[in-house]
Amino acid sequence: MALFTKQEALDYHSEGRPGKVEVVPVKPCSTQKHLSMAYSPGVAESCMAIHEDKELSYKYTGRGNLVGVVSNGTAVLGLGNIGAAAGKPVMEGKGVLFKVFGDVDVYDINLDASDPDKIIEIVKALEPTFGGINLEDIKAPECFYIEETLKKEMNIPVFHDDQHGTAIVTAAGMMNALEISGKKVEDMRVVVSGAGAGAIACTNLYKGMGVKPENIAMFDSRGHINKSRENLTPTKLAYATDKEYGSLAEALVGADCFLGLSVKDIVSKEMVKSMADNPIIFACANPDPEITYNDAKEARPDAIMGTGRSDYPNQVNNVLGFPFIFRGALDCRATAINEEMKLAAAKALAALAKEPAPEYVCKAYGVDKLEFGIDYIIPKALDLRLIEFVSVAVAKAAMDTGVARKKLDLDAYRVELRERLGASKKRVSDFIATYNLDF
């Protein structure tokens, strides 16, 4: 049953103040003195301090808690290339999630530009404004080039969530699925349906976990990616194998893991039945997976399965990652989000799933309990402990790998995060009450 009608969704975005976000001042502006400090002449003091030391922009402006969500609307959700203006509601929504889950402020930047070099030029010029850049809904292969170039040329974290968010969450699920099934990562045979940004990033992270490249079979819309194929992009060529599979069904025979980031209904019950014992299945096509949860479990009750849907166990939801990854990166003033930080986030998510779920989480999802096992290998998005587990792990990895410009006392930081989230939720609640909003 649908949770809402089309009209309800349109009303949600249009009634009252249009859109989903607004800018709210955080300093008093009720007296002449306040105004003179906020703008002229008092603002000159902070301007000149930053002019002498650019790092002071993190002290005297909101830059240190501000992320730019940048998109050109060429690969929006399941909607495709709908353009920057049509993609803006998604980017505003991303800002809402950043704020609610991680207390990170966001400006959404929607660019009417398709030339990757033009996008790079624009985003680079925005560096003085932001503490980090979240690239969003930019189509492959351009997104790879844009992200890699910006990472090299900017001194703040640049993160393409469509790639790395899904990778981190499924990597966490795989870590726990390996433990439950008794499989060894170095022996895993993985079949991937899809060769876009998310699929490539997931597979790259799995390699970082220990999956051998020769044990990976990746498929795009033209079939299996192998060395006999011509005109492969560099990202696809990295997964071209000597062995050739004639079909997805052939590759899945005896496979330990299936990752789907492609289209619905391309995996049958028979294909799932042919997989190895305790198959690990991440069917993440959105909104309808490559095979439904019910069909996969009917075919193989021993399957450890996740989808992008919230109405079945083990939801692969990027909100488990990006608010907390940026929170940790911003707080230690990281210059990048590197592979070690991504793996640290995945390990933190895996660890949290092993902790007993609080009563409020169970109540929110309409269950009596949530315990580590095949139906609970990934934490739930409404678990308030996520910010402590993930952000602390990310900040520690940043410090350990030398990309942090600020040293944090991790025990004190954990307490600070808990208090910060509580204060943020109170501000949001007070705002809702003040404006008589119904959320």
Side-chain angles (χ1 to χ4, degrees):
M1 181 181 295
L3 295 175
F4 54 84
T5 66
K6 176 182 177 179
Q7 190 59 49
E8 284 175 327
L10 292 173
D11 291 345
Y12 173 85
H13 287 83
S14 64
E15 287 184 348
R17 194 181 186 99
K20 297 190 287 291
V21 293
E22 72 169 299
V23 177
V24 179
V26 294
K27 295 295 191 293
C29 287
S30 57
T31 68
Q32 182 181 0
K33 183 177 181 179
H34 289 157
L35 293 175
S36 66
M37 289 191 295
Y39 196 53
S40 182
V43 73
E45 300 298 339
S46 55
C47 291
M48 294 312 298
I50 296 168
H51 179 65
E52 293 175 9
D53 180 0
K54 289 184 179 179
E55 283 297 299
L56 289 177
S57 65
Y58 288 93
K59 180 176 182 179
Y60 295 125
T61 77
R63 181 186 181 192
N65 194 52
L66 187 61
V67 167
V69 173
V70 179
S71 178
N72 67 351
T74 53
V76 179
L77 296 174
L79 304 176
N81 186 353
I82 61 174
K88 182 172 170 62
V90 178
M91 306 315 132
E92 286 189 354
K94 195 84 175 195
V96 171
L97 298 179
F98 262 111
K99 188 63 180 177
V100 169
F101 288 94
D103 191 29
V104 175
D105 297 321
V106 162
Y107 293 155
D108 60 289
I109 310 295
N110 303 277
L111 302 177
D112 186 10
S114 57
D115 180 354
D117 290 313
K118 184 68 173 178
I119 294 171
I120 290 166
E121 179 187 358
I122 293 169
V123 176
K124 280 178 60 180
L126 292 170
E127 183 166 343
T129 300
F130 296 108
I133 297 292
N134 183 99
L135 300 173
E136 191 79 15
D137 292 350
I138 301 173
K139 72 182 180 71
E142 290 91 335
C143 62
F144 301 116
Y145 169 64
I146 292 169
E147 186 195 30
E148 287 306 311
T149 304
L150 290 174
K151 283 167 64 177
K152 291 175 184 175
E153 299 185 7
M154 298 184 77
N155 204 35
I156 57 175
V158 178
F159 184 83
H160 185 206
D161 186 51
D162 299 324
Q163 295 182 58
H164 309 299
T166 303
I168 288 163
V169 177
T170 60
M174 185 180 285
M175 290 173 187
N176 282 338
L178 287 169
E179 180 177 328
I180 292 168
S181 66
K183 297 177 186 286
K184 294 182 179 179
V185 69
E186 61 271 20
D187 297 330
M188 288 272 289
R189 195 161 70 77
V190 179
V191 177
V192 182
S193 177
I200 293 290
C202 287
T203 315
N204 287 345
L205 198 57
Y206 300 167
K207 283 200 305 183
M209 291 169 55
V211 176
K212 294 178 180 178
E214 61 268 27
N215 287 342
I216 298 168
M218 182 176 287
F219 289 75
D220 64 9
S221 59
R222 292 172 51 203
H224 179 233
I225 296 172
N226 57 72
K227 292 182 179 178
S228 70
R229 295 239 328 240
E230 297 179 351
N231 301 320
L232 290 171
T233 63
T235 50
K236 290 184 181 182
L237 188 59
Y239 288 101
T241 57
D242 292 315
K243 183 176 178 60
E244 298 181 24
Y245 289 103
S247 67
L248 186 63
E250 180 185 339
L252 279 171
V253 176
D256 296 287
C257 177
F258 169 76
L259 169 69
L261 286 155
S262 53
V263 294
K264 67 176 183 178
D265 298 337
I266 61 166
V267 175
S268 67
K269 292 181 182 179
E270 289 69 28
M271 292 158 74
V272 172
K273 288 178 182 178
S274 75
M275 295 178 71
D277 291 342
N278 306 117
I280 302 166
I281 301 171
F282 295 117
C284 301
N286 212 354
D288 299 309
E290 286 79 2
I291 182 170
T292 66
Y293 179 86
N294 290 336
D295 281 353
K297 293 294 281 187
E298 183 179 323
R300 291 294 297 273
D302 61 334
I304 304 172
M305 184 172 184
T307 69
R309 297 180 63 107
S310 61
D311 49 351
Y312 293 106
N314 301 321
Q315 184 188 18
V316 178
N317 189 338
N318 285 14
V319 79
L320 293 169
F322 68 83
F324 317 114
I325 293 165
F326 269 100
R327 179 78 275 150
L330 291 170
D331 290 339
C332 70
R333 249 178 247 172
T335 58
I337 295 173
N338 58 29
E339 292 304 308
E340 291 85 356
M341 293 160 74
K342 295 172 197 172
L343 273 173
K347 290 177 181 177
L349 288 171
L352 180 55
K354 295 179 184 178
E355 298 289 325
E359 183 180 350
Y360 70 84
V361 175
C362 297
K363 184 177 179 180
Y365 289 90
V367 296
D368 294 330
K369 61 180 179 179
L370 290 165
E371 294 182 342
F372 180 63
I374 64 172
D375 287 332
Y376 188 57
I377 59 171
I378 301 171
K380 296 293 188 181
L382 296 178
D383 193 325
L384 297 179
R385 299 171 299 174
L386 283 161
I387 195 169
E388 296 176 47
F389 272 70
V390 180
S391 299
V392 171
V394 168
K396 181 179 185 303
M399 292 189 289
D400 290 346
T401 56
V403 298
R405 289 176 289 186
K406 181 180 178 181
K407 200 78 173 176
L408 298 176
D409 177 327
L410 294 178
D411 289 333
Y413 179 48
R414 187 174 284 105
V415 174
E416 177 189 322
L417 287 170
R418 196 177 307 145
E419 293 173 347
R420 179 180 195 131
L421 190 61
S424 175
K425 287 187 176 297
K426 184 179 186 303
R427 286 198 302 275
V428 172
S429 297
D430 290 346
F431 176 79
I432 291 169
T434 298
Y435 289 93
N436 295 315
L437 299 176
D438 182 15
F439 276 69

XYZ file of all heavy atoms in Angstrom, residues 184-267:
619
model
N 34.714 -16.721 3.963
C 35.937 -15.928 4.020
C 35.948 -14.957 2.850
O 35.680 -15.343 1.708
C 37.165 -16.830 3.969
C 37.314 -17.737 5.189
C 38.581 -18.570 5.100
C 38.748 -19.456 6.323
N 39.981 -20.294 6.232
N 36.289 -13.697 3.137
C 36.211 -12.675 2.110
C 37.098 -12.985 0.919
O 36.744 -12.719 -0.242
C 36.525 -11.282 2.705
C 37.988 -11.161 3.120
C 36.131 -10.174 1.726
N 38.264 -13.591 1.170
C 39.181 -13.876 0.072
C 38.686 -14.993 -0.840
O 39.184 -15.157 -1.969
C 40.583 -14.220 0.606
C 40.645 -15.441 1.496
C 40.430 -15.142 2.969
O 39.858 -14.060 3.275
O 40.841 -15.963 3.804
N 37.703 -15.768 -0.366
C 37.140 -16.849 -1.187
C 35.835 -16.445 -1.864
O 35.269 -17.223 -2.647
C 36.880 -18.090 -0.318
C 38.163 -18.649 0.274
O 39.224 -18.500 -0.356
O 38.098 -19.225 1.387
N 35.333 -15.266 -1.571
C 34.025 -14.829 -2.066
C 34.022 -14.678 -3.577
O 34.931 -14.091 -4.165
C 33.671 -13.475 -1.460
C 33.308 -13.549 0.004
S 31.559 -13.881 0.201
C 30.896 -12.323 -0.336
N 32.971 -15.198 -4.213
C 32.732 -14.917 -5.622
C 31.519 -14.008 -5.705
O 30.435 -14.359 -5.228
C 32.529 -16.197 -6.423
C 32.658 -15.939 -7.933
C 32.915 -17.199 -8.718
N 31.758 -18.079 -8.751
C 30.699 -17.868 -9.522
N 30.628 -16.803 -10.301
N 29.699 -18.727 -9.507
N 31.713 -12.811 -6.289
C 30.717 -11.747 -6.273
C 30.245 -11.458 -7.694
O 31.057 -11.304 -8.611
C 31.298 -10.455 -5.649
C 30.258 -9.338 -5.648
C 31.797 -10.720 -4.231
N 28.927 -11.375 -7.879
C 28.337 -11.013 -9.164
C 27.653 -9.667 -8.994
O 26.849 -9.474 -8.077
C 27.326 -12.076 -9.641
C 26.664 -11.633 -10.946
C 28.015 -13.420 -9.817
N 27.979 -8.728 -9.889
C 27.463 -7.363 -9.802
C 26.632 -7.055 -11.036
O 27.119 -7.194 -12.164
C 28.613 -6.337 -9.690
C 28.059 -4.922 -9.553
C 29.527 -6.680 -8.518
N 25.386 -6.641 -10.837
C 24.530 -6.214 -11.933
C 24.434 -4.696 -11.895
O 23.833 -4.119 -10.993
C 23.127 -6.829 -11.817
O 22.292 -6.348 -12.836
N 25.051 -4.069 -12.877
C 25.150 -2.615 -12.901
C 26.604 -2.210 -12.914
O 27.443 -2.863 -12.281
N 26.912 -1.161 -13.662
C 28.301 -0.685 -13.736
C 28.337 0.832 -13.672
O 29.243 1.464 -14.219
C 28.956 -1.197 -15.018
N 27.357 1.416 -12.991
C 27.326 2.856 -12.798
C 28.132 3.270 -11.582
O 28.909 2.487 -11.024
N 27.898 4.501 -11.135
C 28.694 5.066 -10.053
C 28.617 4.227 -8.778
O 29.636 3.915 -8.157
C 28.225 6.494 -9.775
N 27.387 3.850 -8.376
C 27.229 3.084 -7.144
C 27.849 1.712 -7.221
O 28.528 1.261 -6.291
N 27.628 1.016 -8.326
C 28.153 -0.343 -8.478
C 29.677 -0.353 -8.475
O 30.313 -1.212 -7.835
C 27.623 -0.966 -9.769
N 30.284 0.592 -9.179
C 31.743 0.665 -9.222
C 32.306 0.958 -7.839
O 33.272 0.317 -7.390
C 32.207 1.753 -10.221
C 31.844 1.363 -11.659
C 33.702 2.011 -10.091
C 32.631 0.215 -12.239
N 31.709 1.918 -7.130
C 32.208 2.272 -5.800
C 32.058 1.116 -4.816
O 32.950 0.855 -4.007
C 31.482 3.503 -5.278
N 30.913 0.414 -4.873
C 30.714 -0.748 -4.001
C 31.801 -1.787 -4.249
O 32.431 -2.296 -3.311
C 29.344 -1.376 -4.257
S 27.936 -0.444 -3.628
N 32.016 -2.084 -5.510
C 32.969 -3.137 -5.855
C 34.387 -2.723 -5.485
O 35.187 -3.551 -5.026
C 32.868 -3.474 -7.351
O 31.483 -3.588 -7.716
C 33.538 -4.802 -7.655
N 34.704 -1.442 -5.655
C 36.021 -0.961 -5.221
C 36.217 -1.170 -3.724
O 37.296 -1.590 -3.276
C 36.171 0.530 -5.539
C 36.352 0.822 -7.009
O 36.644 -0.078 -7.800
N 36.191 2.074 -7.403
N 35.175 -0.884 -2.946
C 35.295 -1.040 -1.493
C 35.376 -2.508 -1.114
O 36.106 -2.881 -0.182
C 34.117 -0.362 -0.787
C 34.302 -0.069 0.707
C 35.526 0.795 0.953
C 33.068 0.623 1.273
N 34.657 -3.376 -1.820
C 34.745 -4.808 -1.546
C 36.171 -5.310 -1.800
O 36.692 -6.147 -1.057
C 33.765 -5.603 -2.416
C 32.306 -5.262 -2.233
C 31.352 -5.708 -3.149
C 31.858 -4.483 -1.165
C 30.008 -5.390 -3.003
C 30.525 -4.164 -1.010
C 29.597 -4.615 -1.944
O 28.269 -4.294 -1.800
N 36.791 -4.791 -2.846
C 38.200 -5.151 -3.090
C 39.065 -4.707 -1.917
O 39.979 -5.431 -1.509
C 38.705 -4.515 -4.383
C 38.250 -5.201 -5.652
C 39.135 -4.868 -6.852
C 39.262 -3.397 -7.110
N 40.075 -3.103 -8.311
N 38.770 -3.520 -1.393
C 39.510 -3.047 -0.233
C 39.327 -3.922 0.991
O 40.206 -3.997 1.853
N 38.188 -4.618 1.050
C 37.934 -5.551 2.148
C 38.644 -6.886 1.947
O 38.761 -7.663 2.889
C 36.430 -5.810 2.273
C 35.622 -4.629 2.751
S 33.828 -4.927 2.577
C 33.618 -6.461 3.489
N 39.068 -7.175 0.710
C 39.780 -8.426 0.468
C 39.201 -9.313 -0.613
O 39.738 -10.401 -0.864
N 38.099 -8.893 -1.268
C 37.564 -9.685 -2.377
C 38.549 -9.617 -3.543
O 39.021 -8.541 -3.923
C 36.187 -9.160 -2.819
C 35.688 -9.930 -4.045
C 35.171 -9.282 -1.683
N 38.869 -10.770 -4.127
C 39.853 -10.807 -5.210
C 39.211 -10.360 -6.527
O 38.097 -10.785 -6.859
C 40.402 -12.221 -5.357
C 41.209 -12.692 -4.148
C 41.683 -14.130 -4.330
C 42.484 -14.597 -3.119
N 42.906 -16.005 -3.252
N 39.911 -9.516 -7.301
C 39.353 -9.010 -8.564
C 38.915 -10.125 -9.512
O 37.898 -9.996 -10.198
C 40.499 -8.191 -9.155
C 41.314 -7.782 -7.970
C 41.220 -8.918 -6.996
N 39.674 -11.215 -9.536
C 39.324 -12.307 -10.445
C 38.051 -13.043 -10.033
O 37.494 -13.839 -10.808
C 40.477 -13.305 -10.566
C 40.891 -13.985 -9.267
C 42.009 -13.263 -8.525
O 42.133 -12.022 -8.701
O 42.755 -13.922 -7.788
N 37.588 -12.773 -8.815
C 36.357 -13.410 -8.328
C 35.134 -12.510 -8.485
O 34.084 -12.778 -7.913
C 36.514 -13.801 -6.857
C 37.425 -14.988 -6.662
O 37.689 -15.732 -7.605
N 37.929 -15.171 -5.449
N 35.284 -11.434 -9.253
C 34.194 -10.484 -9.453
C 33.727 -10.550 -10.903
O 34.535 -10.454 -11.832
C 34.645 -9.042 -9.128
C 35.057 -8.935 -7.652
C 33.527 -8.042 -9.448
C 35.773 -7.643 -7.308
N 32.418 -10.736 -11.098
C 31.821 -10.696 -12.439
C 30.837 -9.540 -12.480
O 29.827 -9.557 -11.768
C 31.107 -12.010 -12.753
N 31.141 -8.531 -13.303
C 30.304 -7.333 -13.373
C 29.568 -7.291 -14.711
O 30.160 -7.573 -15.762
C 31.161 -6.079 -13.201
C 30.367 -4.781 -13.220
S 31.406 -3.327 -12.894
C 31.722 -3.532 -11.135
N 28.294 -6.916 -14.649
C 27.450 -6.843 -15.843
C 26.932 -5.424 -16.028
O 26.530 -4.771 -15.054
C 26.249 -7.790 -15.734
C 26.607 -9.248 -15.847
C 27.218 -9.924 -14.798
C 26.325 -9.953 -17.013
C 27.541 -11.269 -14.899
C 26.647 -11.294 -17.125
C 27.261 -11.951 -16.064
N 26.921 -4.953 -17.283
C 26.237 -3.718 -17.616
C 25.079 -4.039 -18.555
O 24.724 -5.217 -18.725
C 27.205 -2.685 -18.199
C 27.828 -3.124 -19.527
O 27.391 -4.150 -20.098
O 28.751 -2.437 -19.994
N 24.500 -3.050 -19.195
C 23.327 -3.284 -20.039
C 23.648 -4.123 -21.273
O 22.753 -4.688 -21.898
C 22.718 -1.947 -20.477
O 23.671 -1.180 -21.185
N 24.932 -4.237 -21.605
C 25.341 -5.025 -22.775
C 25.786 -6.430 -22.412
O 26.117 -7.228 -23.291
C 26.477 -4.303 -23.510
C 26.047 -2.998 -24.184
C 27.244 -2.238 -24.723
N 28.087 -3.099 -25.541
C 29.392 -2.858 -25.784
N 29.978 -1.798 -25.238
N 30.075 -3.667 -26.554
N 25.824 -6.747 -21.105
C 26.230 -8.084 -20.693
C 27.465 -8.078 -19.814
O 27.819 -7.063 -19.206
N 28.135 -9.229 -19.755
C 29.295 -9.381 -18.896
C 30.464 -8.536 -19.398
O 30.758 -8.486 -20.595
C 29.712 -10.864 -18.831
C 30.910 -11.104 -17.982
N 32.023 -11.781 -18.421
C 31.174 -10.737 -16.700
C 32.911 -11.835 -17.454
N 32.418 -11.205 -16.400
N 31.130 -7.874 -18.457
C 32.288 -7.042 -18.801
C 33.533 -7.931 -18.788
O 33.961 -8.408 -17.734
C 32.429 -5.880 -17.807
C 31.200 -4.959 -17.920
C 33.710 -5.093 -18.064
C 31.148 -3.882 -16.862
N 34.082 -8.184 -19.960
C 35.272 -9.037 -20.084
C 36.237 -8.419 -21.088
O 35.929 -7.432 -21.765
C 34.873 -10.460 -20.488
C 34.095 -10.478 -21.785
O 34.651 -10.248 -22.860
N 32.776 -10.741 -21.704
N 37.400 -9.007 -21.185
C 38.477 -8.402 -21.970
C 38.266 -8.512 -23.475
O 39.004 -7.881 -24.240
C 39.820 -9.016 -21.565
C 40.230 -8.637 -20.159
C 41.582 -9.190 -19.760
C 41.951 -8.749 -18.346
N 43.245 -9.322 -17.905
N 37.276 -9.256 -23.924
C 36.991 -9.310 -25.357
C 36.120 -8.136 -25.804
O 35.980 -7.896 -27.007
C 36.297 -10.633 -25.708
O 34.969 -10.657 -25.187
N 35.549 -7.385 -24.841
C 34.691 -6.238 -25.171
C 35.532 -5.039 -25.580
O 36.635 -4.821 -25.054
C 33.815 -5.871 -23.973
C 32.813 -6.946 -23.587
C 31.397 -6.532 -23.611
N 31.081 -5.172 -23.301
C 30.303 -4.796 -22.286
N 29.796 -5.707 -21.463
N 29.999 -3.528 -22.106
N 35.013 -4.237 -26.488
C 35.707 -3.044 -26.956
C 35.034 -1.789 -26.404
O 33.885 -1.814 -25.969
C 35.716 -2.991 -28.484
C 36.472 -4.147 -29.141
C 36.425 -4.056 -30.660
O 35.671 -3.207 -31.186
O 37.137 -4.852 -31.311
N 35.790 -0.701 -26.415
C 35.284 0.627 -26.044
C 34.766 0.689 -24.607
O 33.784 1.386 -24.322
C 34.179 1.075 -27.014
C 34.662 1.143 -28.445
O 35.787 1.593 -28.707
N 33.831 0.690 -29.379
N 35.423 -0.025 -23.718
C 35.057 0.053 -22.306
C 35.660 1.310 -21.682
O 36.782 1.694 -21.988
C 35.571 -1.181 -21.552
C 34.897 -2.519 -21.855
C 35.677 -3.655 -21.205
C 33.446 -2.522 -21.375
N 34.891 1.963 -20.802
C 35.434 3.102 -20.061
C 36.507 2.595 -19.099
O 36.521 1.414 -18.745
C 34.339 3.811 -19.251
O 33.815 2.891 -18.272
C 33.213 4.293 -20.159
N 37.419 3.466 -18.648
C 38.461 3.023 -17.718
C 37.904 2.363 -16.458
O 38.475 1.395 -15.960
C 39.209 4.320 -17.395
C 39.011 5.176 -18.596
C 37.627 4.865 -19.087
N 36.780 2.886 -15.941
C 36.215 2.307 -14.719
C 35.688 0.896 -14.964
O 35.798 0.023 -14.099
C 35.086 3.197 -14.169
O 34.163 3.495 -15.215
C 35.647 4.490 -13.613
N 35.107 0.657 -16.142
C 34.637 -0.691 -16.465
C 35.800 -1.613 -16.810
O 35.798 -2.799 -16.450
C 33.648 -0.640 -17.628
C 32.306 -0.006 -17.301
C 31.354 -0.077 -18.488
C 30.028 0.579 -18.180
N 29.071 0.481 -19.306
N 36.787 -1.078 -17.494
C 37.934 -1.885 -17.904
C 38.641 -2.496 -16.699
O 39.182 -3.598 -16.768
C 38.913 -1.025 -18.706
C 40.082 -1.748 -19.388
C 39.575 -2.808 -20.364
C 40.985 -0.740 -20.083
N 38.591 -1.786 -15.564
C 39.225 -2.300 -14.344
C 38.585 -3.600 -13.876
O 39.202 -4.360 -13.117
C 39.132 -1.245 -13.238
N 37.353 -3.882 -14.324
C 36.659 -5.112 -13.922
C 36.458 -6.089 -15.070
O 35.687 -7.041 -14.952
C 35.326 -4.752 -13.250
C 35.558 -4.156 -11.884
C 35.488 -2.782 -11.688
C 35.938 -4.968 -10.818
C 35.764 -2.233 -10.446
C 36.212 -4.423 -9.576
C 36.124 -3.062 -9.393
O 36.404 -2.517 -8.164
N 37.148 -5.859 -16.168
C 37.085 -6.796 -17.301
C 37.930 -8.023 -16.977
O 39.100 -7.912 -16.615
C 37.588 -6.122 -18.567
N 37.348 -9.204 -17.090
C 38.032 -10.450 -16.738
C 38.336 -11.277 -17.984
O 37.739 -11.096 -19.042
C 37.158 -11.286 -15.787
O 35.890 -11.545 -16.417
C 36.917 -10.552 -14.477
N 39.288 -12.201 -17.826
C 39.587 -13.137 -18.913
C 38.413 -14.080 -19.145
O 38.070 -14.396 -20.281
C 40.852 -13.944 -18.587
C 42.100 -13.071 -18.598
O 42.241 -12.260 -19.533
O 42.920 -13.182 -17.670
N 37.820 -14.533 -18.035
C 36.670 -15.435 -18.137
C 35.467 -14.666 -18.666
O 35.253 -13.508 -18.324
C 36.353 -16.040 -16.772
C 35.216 -17.057 -16.780
C 35.035 -17.682 -15.410
C 33.868 -18.664 -15.397
N 34.034 -19.772 -16.338
N 34.675 -15.304 -19.507
C 33.490 -14.680 -20.078
C 32.237 -15.449 -19.651
O 32.219 -16.684 -19.715
C 33.573 -14.653 -21.604
C 34.740 -13.842 -22.139
C 34.769 -13.817 -23.660
O 33.700 -14.006 -24.278
O 35.857 -13.609 -24.224
N 31.224 -14.720 -19.207
C 29.935 -15.318 -18.867
C 28.911 -14.909 -19.923
O 28.811 -13.725 -20.290
C 29.451 -14.849 -17.494
C 30.240 -15.421 -16.338
C 31.190 -14.658 -15.677
C 30.028 -16.731 -15.921
C 31.916 -15.173 -14.609
C 30.754 -17.263 -14.852
C 31.693 -16.484 -14.208
O 32.407 -17.004 -13.163
N 28.141 -15.877 -20.375
C 27.140 -15.604 -21.402
C 25.903 -14.934 -20.870
O 25.150 -14.322 -21.634
N 25.681 -15.026 -19.558
C 24.475 -14.436 -18.971
C 24.657 -14.239 -17.480
O 25.556 -14.833 -16.854
C 23.264 -15.340 -19.206
O 23.411 -16.557 -18.482
N 23.787 -13.427 -16.899
C 23.784 -13.232 -15.451
C 23.467 -14.546 -14.751
O 24.064 -14.868 -13.710
C 22.749 -12.161 -15.090
C 22.683 -11.698 -13.635
C 23.980 -11.026 -13.218
C 21.501 -10.745 -13.437
N 22.544 -15.324 -15.307
C 22.178 -16.611 -14.718
C 23.385 -17.543 -14.640
O 23.587 -18.235 -13.632
C 21.066 -17.258 -15.531
N 24.189 -17.559 -15.677
C 25.382 -18.414 -15.682
C 26.367 -17.986 -14.602
O 26.934 -18.819 -13.898
C 26.053 -18.341 -17.055
C 27.308 -19.201 -17.183
C 28.015 -19.019 -18.512
O 27.374 -18.564 -19.483
O 29.228 -19.316 -18.573
N 26.561 -16.688 -14.451
C 27.516 -16.188 -13.467
C 27.064 -16.464 -12.035
O 27.890 -16.661 -11.133
C 27.724 -14.690 -13.666
N 25.753 -16.489 -11.803
C 25.240 -16.662 -10.440
C 25.337 -18.099 -9.937
O 25.213 -18.340 -8.731
C 23.788 -16.186 -10.361
C 23.601 -14.669 -10.219
C 22.139 -14.286 -10.383
C 24.133 -14.175 -8.882
N 25.585 -19.056 -10.796
C 25.707 -20.451 -10.358
C 26.912 -20.571 -9.421
O 28.046 -20.300 -9.796
C 25.874 -21.404 -11.550
C 26.106 -22.836 -11.052
C 24.642 -21.349 -12.444
N 26.634 -20.906 -8.169
C 27.701 -21.074 -7.187
C 28.251 -19.790 -6.612
O 29.188 -19.822 -5.798
N 27.687 -18.640 -6.981
C 28.182 -17.358 -6.475
C 27.814 -17.181 -5.007
O 26.768 -17.634 -4.547
C 27.613 -16.211 -7.306
N 28.678 -16.497 -4.273
C 28.443 -16.255 -2.843
C 27.647 -14.983 -2.605
O 26.932 -14.873 -1.607
C 29.778 -16.129 -2.109
C 30.586 -17.403 -2.159
O 30.223 -18.354 -1.465
O 31.584 -17.438 -2.917
N 27.786 -14.011 -3.515
C 27.169 -12.700 -3.282
C 26.646 -12.121 -4.584
O 27.300 -12.221 -5.635
C 28.196 -11.751 -2.660
S 27.598 -10.057 -2.402
N 25.485 -11.510 -4.522
C 24.930 -10.745 -5.640
C 24.711 -9.317 -5.178
O 24.088 -9.074 -4.142
C 23.602 -11.323 -6.118
C 22.873 -10.427 -7.093
C 23.287 -10.342 -8.412
C 21.800 -9.635 -6.683
C 22.637 -9.491 -9.318
C 21.141 -8.796 -7.573
C 21.563 -8.726 -8.896
N 25.228 -8.369 -5.954
C 24.974 -6.948 -5.731
C 24.234 -6.415 -6.939
O 24.715 -6.524 -8.075
C 26.286 -6.178 -5.556
C 26.143 -4.645 -5.590
C 25.405 -4.143 -4.355
C 27.509 -3.970 -5.708
N 23.062 -5.842 -6.722
C 22.285 -5.273 -7.810
C 22.096 -3.782 -7.654
O 21.592 -3.312 -6.632
N 22.549 -3.040 -8.638
C 22.288 -1.605 -8.724
C 21.917 -1.318 -10.174
O 22.585 -0.586 -10.884
C 23.520 -0.804 -8.293
C 23.768 -0.801 -6.774
C 25.228 -0.556 -6.449
C 22.902 0.249 -6.091
N 20.825 -1.947 -10.609
C 20.486 -1.926 -12.028
C 18.989 -1.711 -12.231
O 18.503 -0.597 -12.028
C 20.974 -3.215 -12.701
O 20.504 -4.375 -12.012
N 18.268 -2.770 -12.587
C 16.836 -2.641 -12.875
C 16.066 -3.768 -12.197
O 16.631 -4.811 -11.845
C 16.558 -2.666 -14.395
C 17.166 -1.446 -15.060
C 17.088 -3.936 -15.033
N 14.766 -3.569 -12.051
C 13.946 -4.536 -11.328
C 13.772 -5.835 -12.122
O 13.873 -5.873 -13.343
C 12.575 -3.941 -11.017
C 11.704 -3.683 -12.238
C 10.327 -3.189 -11.824
C 9.409 -2.989 -13.022
N 8.054 -2.564 -12.634
N 13.527 -6.897 -11.361
C 13.065 -8.185 -11.891
C 14.018 -8.867 -12.864
O 13.589 -9.634 -13.722
C 11.701 -8.013 -12.593
C 10.617 -7.538 -11.642
O 10.761 -7.751 -10.427
O 9.630 -6.942 -12.127
N 15.320 -8.640 -12.740
C 16.245 -9.326 -13.646
C 16.818 -10.603 -13.033
O 17.512 -11.356 -13.710
C 17.405 -8.414 -14.099
C 18.226 -7.954 -12.894
C 16.901 -7.240 -14.897
C 19.546 -7.355 -13.311
N 16.512 -10.839 -11.746
C 16.963 -12.060 -11.075
C 15.737 -12.906 -10.744
O 14.769 -12.417 -10.153
C 17.758 -11.735 -9.798
C 18.115 -13.008 -9.038
C 19.032 -10.957 -10.138
